[in-house]
Structures are given as C-alpha cells and as structure tokens.
C-alpha cells in the first residue's frame, strides 16, 4: 500500500477501454489533447511504449512516496512562491511539454476529482532550485528510478552513510531531500523518455 509515482507507456496512455483503476488513461489523454488544441498547441501523441524492466536502464520510473512531506513543504515555502509551490507539489500528471501555466482537466485522477497537468521543464526548474538550495549531492544519488531506486537509497543506509561523510543542508532533513530528489528525477525522466508520469 502507499502512493507511487510511476511512468506511463503508450498502451496504457491511449487505452480508452478501462478506467484509470484498470490501467486505462484514454480519458485524460483525450482531454489533454483537446485542451492543447484549444491553446493552439499540437496534441501529445509521441508517448513511448513501456519498456521491459531492466534495473538501472532508466527506461521506467517508479518511486514510493513513503516519508512525511512536512519538511519538503516548508522548504518549498521558504524558496518558492505560492504559485510555484502549487506547480511543483500540486500536479497529478506530469508531461514532457513546456506549459506556460498548469492545465486543469475535468477528469478524475487516482486521488483527486480533477487532473492538474504540469510541464516537466517547469517542474525541473523548480526542483533544481530546491536542489541548489539544500546542496543536494545530485551526482551521488541514484540517477534512475526503475524500481524504487531513490526510495531505497534514502530509506536504507546509503543516504545516511553519505550524510556522515558529506554533510550539508540536504542532510539536515533527509525526508525533504528525498522529495527534492524524486521531483528532480521525475521531471528529468519525463523529458528524457518523453513519457507521462502519474500518481497511482
């Protein structure tokens, strides 16, 4: 049990048959394309197929949001505007498109009645600001998230071991650092693979 952040492949993204709980996301895909066209933007159709699982390949994204978020929310409020905080923390669908503002779709998501869509370039910039603020050791944390890589790194010994040898603002609150890393890697993955990322 728990909340996961996962990448979505083309088959699931364009599936109109099942609802979201059954793996179909065709309704949100159609609603997004309609809204993009209304804004004079091309539809989002270049979603890659889901890749076979290969640990460390960087072809899929899956993290479990286990730690409490209180420290991360405080960090956002210290370094971001309220509008920026809403973009970074409020999305339920992340897409590899540059969006001037978030898009609200009247389609339910896993945990909300509506779907808030954010652009990965915008989320990446905000996550990078937080990573800089806490001096996150970006080169030391897992670069891929194929199978809870960040979750295990932060919850097990590696994060504590690095915090002992390379202390800094990031190590003062490992839970907050975890979320900075997750949103950073999620945005990077979405842009690199060209795929959506959702909560489930």
């Amino acid at each position: 049990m728990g909340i996961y952040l996962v990448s979505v492949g083309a088959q699931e993204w364009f599936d109109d048959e099942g609802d979201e709980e059954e793996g179909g996301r065709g309704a949100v895909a159609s609603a997004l394309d309609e809204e993009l066209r209304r804004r004079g933007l091309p539809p989002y159709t270049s979603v890659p197929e889901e890749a076979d699982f290969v640990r460390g390949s960087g072809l899929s994204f899956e993290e479990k949001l286990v730690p409490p978020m209180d420290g991360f929310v405080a960090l956002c409020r210290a370094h971001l505007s309220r509008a920026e905080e809403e973009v970074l923390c409020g999305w339920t669908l992340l897409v590899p498109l540059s969006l001037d503002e978030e898009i609200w779709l009247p389609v339910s998501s896993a945990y909300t009645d509506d779907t808030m869509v954010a652009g990965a370039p915008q989320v990446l910039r905000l996550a990078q600001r937080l990573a800089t603020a806490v001096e996150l050791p970006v080169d030391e944390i897992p670069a891929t998230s194929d199978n809870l890589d960040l979750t295990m790194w932060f919850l097990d010994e590696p994060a504590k071991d690095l915090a002992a040898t390379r202390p800094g603002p990031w190590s003062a609150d490992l839970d907050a650092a975890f979320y900075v890393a997750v949103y950073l890697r999620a945005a990077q993955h979405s842009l690199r693979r060209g795929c959506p990322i959702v909560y489930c």
Side-chain angles (χ1 to χ4, degrees):
M1 297 295 290
I3 299 175
Y4 289 82
L5 203 55
V6 300
S7 55
V8 175
Q11 182 174 349
E12 179 181 343
W13 180 250
F14 295 111
D15 182 6
D16 287 320
E17 298 303 318
D19 60 22
E20 187 171 294
E21 291 183 359
E22 297 170 343
R25 299 188 186 273
V28 72
S30 297
L32 176 60
D33 284 348
E34 182 179 338
E35 181 60 23
L36 290 172
R37 279 191 288 267
R38 192 185 70 78
R39 297 182 181 207
L41 299 171
Y44 173 43
T45 57
S46 57
V47 181
E49 291 292 344
E50 184 175 349
D52 292 336
F53 174 72
V54 178
R55 184 177 295 280
S57 68
L59 295 178
S60 58
F61 188 97
E62 180 185 12
E63 295 292 350
K64 186 174 183 179
L65 307 186
V66 179
M69 293 189 75
D70 296 353
F72 178 67
V73 170
L75 181 66
C76 290
R77 293 184 177 167
H79 295 280
L80 305 176
S81 69
R82 291 308 294 264
E84 290 170 334
E85 179 188 348
E86 177 67 16
V87 170
L88 181 62
C89 302
W91 60 266
T92 50
L93 169 62
L94 186 67
V95 292
L97 309 173
S98 185
L99 301 174
D100 292 337
E101 59 183 9
E102 65 271 23
I103 295 175
W104 287 93
L105 302 175
V107 180
S108 62
S109 64
Y111 299 99
T112 60
D113 292 334
D114 298 310
T115 295
M116 197 269 255
V117 186
Q122 287 70 37
V123 168
L124 179 59
R125 284 197 292 271
L126 296 174
Q128 286 173 328
R129 279 172 52 190
L130 295 183
T132 299
V134 299
E135 299 175 17
L136 188 72
V138 176
D139 293 338
E140 305 291 336
I141 66 175
T144 59
S145 295
D146 298 282
N147 185 24
L148 310 181
D149 296 344
L150 287 170
T151 303
M152 300 307 295
W153 193 87
F154 273 94
L155 292 184
D156 292 340
E157 294 305 313
K160 298 182 179 76
D161 291 343
L162 186 62
T165 58
R166 287 188 54 190
W170 75 278
S171 63
D173 188 340
L174 291 179
D175 291 345
F178 166 76
Y179 285 103
V180 174
V182 164
Y183 285 112
L184 180 73
R185 294 304 193 216
Q188 289 173 335
H189 181 89
S190 178
L191 290 169
R192 183 176 66 251
R193 286 279 290 154
C195 68
I197 292 183
V198 300
Y199 292 90
C200 68

